[in-house]
Amino acid sequence: MKAWGGRFKGETEPLMERFSASIGFDWVLYEYDLDGSKAHAEMLHKIGILGVAEKEAIVGALEEIKQEIRNDEFTFSDTLEDIHMHIEARLIEKIGEVGKKLHTGRSRNDQVALDMRMYLRKELSDIERALFRLLNGLIERAEKEKETIMPGYTHMQRAQVVTFAHHLLAYYYMLKRDRERIKRVGESVDTLPLGSGALAGSTIPLDREYVREKLGFSRVSENSMDTVADRDFVLETIYAVAMVMIHLSRFAEDMIIFSTEEFSFVSLPDELCTGSSLMPHKKNPDSLELIRGKTSRVIGDLFSMFSLLKGLPLTYNRDLQEDKEPLFHAVGTAKDAVAIMELCVKGILVRRERMEQAAYKSFMPAVEMAEYLTLRGIPFRQAHGIVGKMVRDCEEQNKGFHDMTIEDLKTYSQVFDSDIVESIDPRMILRNRKTIGAASFDEIERQITSEKSYLRS
Ligand code: ARG
């Protein structure tokens, strides 16, 4: 018989059982469900609903159930719907009548909200730590690539000289924002919902503060109706991990392009690549492609959650059960993707000479050439025109800037002097840039130093 069987005459349609069961995915909540139930039992004892022996029996049995599930000795079945019902049924099976007291003052509505918040406390802290490791990896790698000169791109065209360290630090800062965002979501999650009941609280004097303390939450939720209907914390989580995925996906895309034979800027670690069943020479960047690919599904998870909540009346509706698969998927994918990217950053081979060659054989110093003229009194728009004309002429004559003599240059502007040669040397450009945040040796050094202290704090 079902836990709610008293009110029903007929049996549940088997198709309905299969349709409504969530045990296939919500079993992952079991540890939290058991720990939440233990705290609830302790509280029921404190307020006099459970005698000491009853409380001990319940807590002991819940502990045994944890071992059974861990050891794969627990039987799951669709007829029991979800993890909460499975655990309660097993508890009653083990200790009989006493087990029937556990659900006093509690509903699955506040119970499931509790389980998910406990699950997210753990998962968000795992993701935060994984991001921390990746950030460290990026800083370590950036330190090694401080002198690695390469082109920076806009529109996928060579734009201005940068270093690979600067490129990596761009991702570092994105992921640092992600880490801070994940921590903030952790604060949203940190509210105890248990004690809200089905939607309206209870005539039983449940001590919510006591449960809060036991389970280590920072605060108790305020409004019982809001509490059981609220999934903001799920949306916030998926949003935060979707952002992580977007950043990783962009990073992955850069590395995929840089690893092509055409670029040959980097070579990915063998462990993260796969071969072809037909073409013996292939080494494919599947790990990074999968990060890019899986990002779409995580974005889908975010949209599933948005549309699930839109138009949902107060308070709990069974629709809310559909929050779990997107949430678990988004969280699990992000956790793995961050770890994969960490391995990639650590193991990637950087072909410094290829990058440097690309930076030197280019008209990228055109900007600094125009700035040279500007610093010597020529209005920038005019300087832009002068250098633009030079690039056009060079291209026609199949020359680079460095093939031009001072005399050639002076035909474009009288202010050109012999110091122009070093002003447009990529290395010199990286020394000369003056602005905060610029791709310059000094700024990269400063950023690395300050971020190392952020990571130590
Ligand atoms: N499995 C349900 C869920 O995940 C638990 C809450 C069920 N509550 C109810 N009144 N049917 O949302």
Side-chain angles (χ1 to χ4, degrees):
M1 174 145 120
K2 301 270 193 257
W4 29 264
R7 193 223 174 279
F8 285 76
K9 228 175 22 215
E11 294 285 301
T12 318
E13 157 69 37
L15 174 61
M16 169 58 192
E17 279 187 339
R18 187 162 62 74
F19 194 62
S20 70
S22 55
I23 190 62
F25 46 87
D26 69 10
W27 68 270
V28 301
L29 298 173
Y30 78 91
E31 297 230 9
Y32 311 108
D33 199 76
L34 289 160
D35 290 345
S37 286
K38 271 194 245 168
H40 187 64
E42 306 272 4
M43 185 275 291
L44 291 177
H45 167 59
K46 176 172 180 275
I47 64 170
I49 301 273
L50 292 178
V52 66
E54 291 178 321
K55 183 214 42 168
E56 296 291 314
I58 289 175
V59 169
L62 291 172
E63 201 39 60
E64 285 168 26
I65 293 172
K66 193 183 272 187
Q67 294 312 323
E68 289 172 8
I69 301 179
R70 271 192 193 151
N71 301 338
D72 243 347
E73 293 157 8
F74 191 91
T75 316
F76 293 105
S77 140
D78 279 357
T79 38
L80 286 168
E81 269 188 38
D82 56 25
I83 188 63
H84 326 293
M85 291 307 210
H86 273 80
I87 289 174
E88 192 183 342
R90 181 74 183 123
L91 179 73
I92 294 167
E93 194 175 272
K94 284 173 88 78
I95 59 173
E97 289 301 302
V98 183
K100 295 184 181 171
K101 291 193 173 184
L102 174 65
H103 209 53
T104 307
R106 189 172 71 164
S107 157
R108 278 186 294 162
N109 301 351
D110 57 350
Q111 188 178 357
V112 73
L114 172 69
D115 292 3
M116 286 172 65
R117 285 174 183 273
M118 289 174 72
Y119 158 86
L120 281 179
R121 277 201 306 203
K122 160 80 166 57
E123 294 298 316
L124 288 168
S125 114
D126 283 358
I127 294 175
E128 187 273 308
R129 280 206 303 270
L131 281 168
F132 178 75
R133 286 191 292 273
L134 174 55
L135 290 175
N136 274 292
L138 280 165
I139 288 289
E140 256 168 54
R141 178 56 79 159
E143 277 213 284
K144 291 190 193 133
E145 309 301 340
K146 283 196 291 206
E147 305 282 329
T148 310
I149 295 174
M150 69 179 291
Y153 296 84
T154 63
H155 312 268
M156 281 309 287
Q157 309 289 321
R158 288 181 192 168
Q160 288 194 269
V161 173
V162 299
T163 60
F164 192 43
H166 198 61
H167 195 115
L168 291 170
L169 284 170
Y171 286 106
Y172 171 91
Y173 283 106
M174 293 177 220
L175 293 159
K176 177 186 176 185
R177 288 197 295 278
D178 286 330
R179 178 181 181 226
E180 294 301 318
R181 188 175 295 113
I182 294 278
K183 287 199 220 164
R184 289 198 295 275
V185 176
E187 288 162 24
S188 293
V189 164
D190 189 17
T191 299
L192 176 84
L194 200 69
S196 301
L199 77 161
S202 178
T203 56
I204 300 163
L206 306 172
D207 189 341
R208 299 189 67 200
E209 261 306 315
Y210 178 85
V211 178
R212 179 195 69 73
E213 178 96 48
K214 279 235 160 269
L215 294 176
F217 280 93
S218 295
R219 63 192 92 80
V220 167
S221 67
E222 291 285 350
N223 179 299
S224 58
M225 292 179 87
D226 173 39
T227 303
V228 294
D230 172 28
R231 291 296 181 272
D232 292 2
F233 65 100
V234 173
L235 253 176
E236 285 175 56
T237 299
I238 304 181
Y239 174 74
V241 300
M243 286 292 280
V244 171
M245 291 303 294
I246 298 270
H247 292 147
L248 294 181
S249 179
R250 294 181 75 170
F251 194 6
E253 172 66 5
D254 268 351
M255 293 307 119
I256 291 167
I257 293 173
F258 288 177
S259 71
T260 58
E261 214 164 320
E262 285 69 14
F263 270 84
S264 295
F265 282 1
V266 299
S267 175
L268 301 173
D270 278 4
E271 314 86 86
L272 301 181
C273 294
T274 64
S276 157
S277 57
L278 189 150
M279 300 166 280
H281 63 290
K282 287 301 288 292
K283 178 174 139 183
N284 300 323
D286 298 35
S287 51
L288 298 181
E289 291 168 326
L290 283 167
I291 288 180
R292 198 175 53 189
K294 285 173 190 285
T295 300
S296 333
R297 276 217 284 155
V298 174
I299 294 168
D301 295 331
L302 183 62
F303 280 84
S304 304
M305 221 26 232
F306 267 126
S307 47
L308 186 66
L309 292 178
K310 177 200 165 293
L312 204 64
L314 287 182
T315 51
Y316 179 86
N317 297 274
R318 193 62 181 274
D319 313 43
L320 288 176
Q321 181 168 290
E322 296 295 314
D323 62 355
K324 283 169 204 63
E325 283 166 296
L327 177 68
F328 297 165
H329 174 260
V331 161
T333 304
K335 198 154 98 172
D336 287 350
V338 173
I340 294 267
M341 195 50 101
E342 190 204 345
L343 294 176
C344 180
V345 168
K346 286 210 169 115
I348 205 163
L349 174 80
V350 181
R351 301 196 190 284
R352 297 181 178 144
E353 41 347 297
R354 286 280 309 181
M355 289 188 172
E356 187 148 337
Q357 217 176 41
Y360 272 84
K361 273 192 64 192
S362 146
F363 288 112
M364 284 188 296
V367 179
E368 284 73 22
M369 200 143 194
E371 288 179 357
Y372 174 96
L373 296 174
T374 305
L375 288 169
R376 283 158 188 78
I378 298 184
F380 180 74
R381 196 43 69 208
Q382 196 182 328
H384 189 289
I386 293 170
V387 180
K389 170 86 172 59
M390 258 164 67
V391 172
R392 179 156 40 101
D393 294 346
C394 279
E395 266 185 353
E396 269 168 22
Q397 297 157 30
N398 208 6
K399 281 193 199 164
F401 283 151
H402 288 282
D403 301 320
M404 297 216 274
T405 63
I406 293 296
E407 289 67 45
D408 293 338
L409 289 169
K410 278 198 189 288
T411 64
Y412 291 90
S413 168
Q414 280 304 314
V415 306
F416 278 123
D417 217 332
S418 56
D419 58 348
I420 181 62
V421 179
E422 68 166 17
S423 302
I424 59 164
D425 176 76
R427 210 160 242 104
M428 198 50 96
I429 291 171
L430 286 156
R431 262 182 232 135
N432 284 344
R433 288 200 181 115
K434 307 268 183 310
T435 45
I436 298 174
S440 69
F441 292 129
D442 285 352
E443 274 301 283
I444 292 162
E445 197 66 57
R446 183 188 63 76
Q447 291 177 357
I448 290 177
T449 311
S450 104
E451 293 313 316
K452 273 179 160 175
S453 88
Y454 159 80
L455 291 172
R456 271 195 308 268
S457 66

